[in-house]
Amino acid sequence: ICKELYVSTATIVRFCQKVGFKGFNELKFQLKSELNLSNKNMNAWDIIPHRTSILKDFIENVDDQTIEEICNLIKTHKSIYIYGRNMSSLPAKYLYAMLNTMDIPCIFIDWIDFLSALSKSFPENAILFIFTNYGEKEMYASIVKQCHERKIQIIWISSRELDSSLLSKNDIYIPTHEPKLEAPPLRTKLTSFLLVQLIVEYLRHKITESPSNPAK
């Protein structure tokens, strides 16, 4: 398509996102579904290719430098906090468990009031992971203000687009574009789990390569 239209792959991806898809793979899935006129009744197994297409789009568009930056922050900061509640607590807990398994101490928070209280006493230059569905401005504004005043760097992992007023120039923001389930009304966390796994794999590789653990 790029060759025929004389455009870049990024232009195709932006077009797909402009018309409501996560990327080119989801667009392909939708076109295949609409062309397959004989398959009018959707069943549970039809969802899997759709979810797979979204994951493929995320993998193809993930910024390697951002992953590396996050991992470098984890390796160089002694104070690491990870927040997530409800469904967002699942990938947050996974990151917490994996870091502790690799002997990287961190603290998990799943209560917004506790996060609000801690934001006033975080050690300076700590890093805070926030896993969220929407990043509601009214919920996080005062917390973010306290964190930024204490020079806390926030790593946002949000299912939906984040309000730009919550971000400072030093924060890292990764939108996971996770689809919504209508019944029950939830958002899937597959992309967030995938992102955590990418961070863990990069960290594991770097720890293996470190001078104290030379690769054989």
Side-chain angles (χ1 to χ4, degrees):
I1 292 175
C2 295
K3 183 178 179 181
E4 292 295 326
L5 297 178
Y6 299 99
V7 297
S8 66
T9 55
T11 299
I12 298 295
V13 171
R14 285 196 297 270
F15 168 77
C16 295
Q17 293 172 344
K18 193 73 174 178
V19 296
F21 299 99
K22 309 300 181 295
F24 184 63
N25 287 296
E26 190 183 13
L27 173 64
K28 285 196 299 182
F29 170 82
Q30 187 64 34
L31 290 174
K32 287 179 181 178
S33 298
E34 292 182 3
L35 289 172
N36 188 8
L37 300 178
S38 62
N39 183 20
K40 296 182 179 179
N41 297 318
M42 292 286 286
N43 59 57
W45 291 107
D46 295 323
I47 301 299
I48 294 176
H50 183 212
R51 296 290 184 262
T52 302
S53 70
I54 293 174
L55 291 175
K56 285 181 179 178
D57 282 325
F58 181 79
I59 292 172
E60 290 176 3
N61 295 294
V62 70
D63 186 352
D64 294 346
Q65 292 183 342
T66 300
I67 300 295
E68 184 174 2
E69 183 181 357
I70 291 172
C71 292
N72 288 336
L73 288 171
I74 292 173
K75 289 172 61 181
T76 57
H77 284 66
K78 293 182 179 180
S79 300
I80 303 172
Y81 299 84
I82 303 171
Y83 169 77
R85 67 189 184 112
N86 299 331
M87 290 296 292
S88 294
S89 70
L90 300 178
K93 285 179 180 177
Y94 182 52
L95 177 60
Y96 165 77
M98 293 302 290
L99 291 184
N100 276 287
T101 300
M102 292 187 288
D103 295 324
I104 301 174
C106 54
I107 295 175
F108 172 68
I109 306 164
D110 63 353
W111 188 26
I112 189 69
D113 291 336
F114 188 34
L115 177 63
S116 179
L118 276 178
S119 66
K120 302 171 185 177
S121 58
F122 277 138
E124 285 196 3
N125 299 315
I127 60 172
L128 169 65
F129 285 84
I130 295 182
F131 289 80
T132 179
N133 277 339
Y134 308 102
E136 300 92 330
K137 182 178 178 181
E138 62 276 9
M139 179 180 295
Y140 291 106
S142 61
I143 294 171
V144 167
K145 183 175 182 294
Q146 294 283 354
C147 288
H148 289 158
E149 287 176 354
R150 301 186 65 81
K151 299 180 181 179
I152 309 302
Q153 187 165 3
I154 303 176
I155 300 169
W156 293 90
I157 300 169
S158 175
S159 297
R160 297 284 87 189
E161 293 297 326
L162 200 65
D163 191 304
S164 60
S165 66
L166 294 173
L167 298 169
S168 79
K169 63 180 182 180
N170 293 322
D171 289 344
I172 296 174
Y173 166 44
I174 302 178
T176 53
H177 299 295
E178 283 154 324
K180 186 177 182 181
L181 302 177
E182 298 300 331
L186 301 171
R187 288 201 179 275
T188 64
K189 290 297 171 183
L190 283 175
T191 316
S192 292
F193 274 106
L194 175 59
L195 175 60
V196 170
Q197 191 62 43
L198 291 175
I199 293 171
V200 168
E201 291 294 337
Y202 184 92
L203 278 172
R204 186 183 61 80
H205 180 69
K206 286 300 180 182
I207 289 172
T208 304
E209 283 188 340
S210 65
S212 58
N213 295 291
K216 294 182 179 180

